[in-house]
Amino acid sequence: MKFDDIHLAGVGTYLPRTITTEYAVKEGWYAKEAREASGLEAVAVEDTLPAVDMAVRAARTAVDRSGHAADDFLGLLHSHTYYQGPEGWSPAHYILGNTLDRPVSAFQVQHGCLGLLAALESAALRLTADGGRDAAMLLTAADNFNTPLVGRWTSSSMFVLADSGSSLVVSRRGGFARLLAMDFVSQPGMEAMHRGDEPLFPPREPVRPVMDFEGRLESWRTRWAEGGSIPLADFGALIAATVERTLATAGTSLDRIARVVHNGFNQDPLNVFLLDPLGLDASRGTWELNRGTGHASVSDFAIGLEHLWTTGQVVPGDQVLVLGFTTGMEAACAVLEITARPTDTPAFPSRGVH
């Protein structure tokens, strides 16, 4: 889908302290072999702040950087993959009340690790329909996995879960990057890989069992060994085709892409699923950042984009490909053009509002 006059006006992130993977091995949390295979050096871990408060801190930075007043915002979209607070409660309105404090709509966009990209598409469509030059949308995303109910170090061989918060301000007026095009594609036959043999209803006790993607996948490995069907497809080829289509829609090509922002997966899965199908080297992506933070679920994309922009690794005129996938299986990508340096933005407070 092609977009005109949709911009990213502000970005903010919250990353807590990191724990080295070497220390995690010494403590018995992480297997030595798994650490060596992952390529990870450290993972972000938040001890006390709830996910929604990390989102609030990131949002305040993004709004400050955007130069938009609270009255400009049409609404707030919040994304997450894990627990945000009491069942039936609205984390989006909590974030709204602690940031814009405006009587606008606030709701959640649930789409796994692609939640922020799904929110970006929704915001872009809403702003396009509204047409107001100063209109803006506030996007937030956050997860805190620091609980015994999550196997941070062991839930998947593809990643280690990191705690974080992030925010984007999407604007009609202008900003530091322009959204050129984006697209989503799914392979629904693969959804069973993350369902395993868990019942869909009634819920098991406790209601929130330990998050264990690897255990669910193992149940399917057993079925495959017994001759069951394999819910697999050439997902890498599907991602590559989606990227090619989105680049064509944006009127560009892969050789014009300066950098790629992607999921914070471990080294091998990152290469196999995202970089290799496109013929890209890890140096074109954000691996050097991700190996020191882990997989920040919904916030990987904002964290990677902010890092490249604030450190001057992308400058006006550069094009950035944002690329990732989530359970389902579904992939998404977006093409951005950097249009301003940090010092050109209306406000640029120092990073680290925490």
Side-chain angles (χ1 to χ4, degrees):
M1 183 180 300
K2 184 178 177 62
F3 289 97
D4 294 312
D5 205 26
I6 297 295
H7 308 264
L8 300 184
V11 59
T13 64
Y14 176 90
L15 276 173
R17 58 147 186 160
T18 58
I19 292 178
T20 66
T21 53
E22 181 181 13
Y23 181 79
V25 170
K26 289 180 179 179
E27 290 296 306
W29 305 333
Y30 201 26
K32 180 180 179 181
E33 297 78 10
R35 174 184 183 262
E36 292 173 350
S38 73
L40 297 177
E41 297 176 347
V43 175
V45 177
E46 173 55 51
D47 293 322
T48 59
L49 275 182
V52 289
D53 287 332
M54 291 192 283
V56 166
R57 294 194 181 196
R60 289 173 178 170
T61 298
V63 173
D64 283 346
R65 288 174 172 171
S66 75
H68 274 281
D71 290 349
D72 296 336
F73 288 84
L74 302 180
L76 180 149
L77 306 178
H78 179 59
S79 303
H80 59 90
T81 66
Y82 193 62
Y83 181 78
Q84 302 288 291
E87 297 290 345
W89 171 69
S90 175
H93 287 87
Y94 174 92
I95 297 167
L96 177 65
N98 284 279
T99 52
L100 304 176
D101 195 22
R102 295 278 298 150
V104 294
S105 66
F107 54 90
Q108 299 173 69
V109 177
Q110 297 291 105
H111 197 25
C113 296
L114 293 181
L116 193 61
L117 287 185
L120 174 58
E121 182 185 55
S122 297
L125 292 172
R126 183 166 179 182
L127 290 172
T128 298
D130 178 85
R133 180 181 179 277
D134 287 332
M137 292 286 293
L138 180 59
L139 312 185
T140 60
D143 277 312
N144 187 331
F145 299 104
N146 200 9
T147 164
L149 295 178
V150 175
R152 179 192 301 281
W153 304 95
T154 60
S155 66
S156 176
S157 60
M158 289 186 62
F159 51 76
V160 175
L161 293 164
D163 305 331
S164 64
S166 65
S167 179
L168 294 172
V169 173
V170 188
S171 171
R172 291 275 293 179
R173 188 168 67 195
F176 71 93
R178 184 164 65 96
L179 177 63
L180 303 181
M182 64 187 310
D183 196 12
F184 289 77
V185 64
S186 74
Q187 181 54 267
M190 298 175 71
E191 61 80 22
M193 294 182 65
H194 297 95
R195 174 164 41 90
D197 59 0
E198 293 186 21
L200 301 181
F201 192 83
R204 287 181 176 179
E205 295 292 341
V207 175
R208 292 187 177 275
V210 173
M211 184 186 294
D212 181 14
F213 290 116
E214 204 63 24
R216 296 174 192 171
L217 184 57
E218 185 59 36
S219 71
W220 275 99
R221 292 192 184 106
T222 301
R223 294 189 189 186
W224 300 339
E226 295 172 351
S229 61
I230 302 176
L232 288 175
D234 191 347
F235 199 61
L238 192 67
I239 291 174
T242 305
V243 169
E244 183 178 357
R245 182 171 61 249
T246 307
L247 290 170
T249 300
T252 189
S253 58
L254 195 58
D255 61 350
R256 294 178 59 190
I257 296 296
R259 298 296 293 270
V260 181
V261 176
H262 48 66
N263 297 110
F265 294 148
N266 295 352
Q267 192 167 23
D268 283 347
L270 170 63
N271 290 328
V272 170
F273 286 101
L274 293 177
L275 300 182
D276 289 351
L278 297 172
L280 295 173
D281 185 81
S283 62
R284 295 273 297 278
T286 51
W287 167 245
E288 287 304 315
L289 169 69
N290 300 141
R291 72 187 307 179
T293 60
H295 176 32
S297 63
V298 285
S299 292
D300 277 331
F301 305 124
I303 290 170
L305 180 62
E306 181 194 49
H307 175 72
L308 293 179
W309 180 57
T310 58
T311 58
Q313 296 182 58
V314 291
V315 297
D318 283 347
Q319 293 180 351
V320 177
L321 175 66
V322 183
L323 174 65
F325 69 89
T326 190
T327 56
M329 297 277 289
E330 184 149 327
C333 61
V335 181
L336 304 172
E337 179 184 3
I338 303 300
T339 55
R341 299 177 187 273
T343 52
D344 297 330
T345 56
F348 194 73
S350 60
R351 187 179 184 279
V353 290
H354 57 291

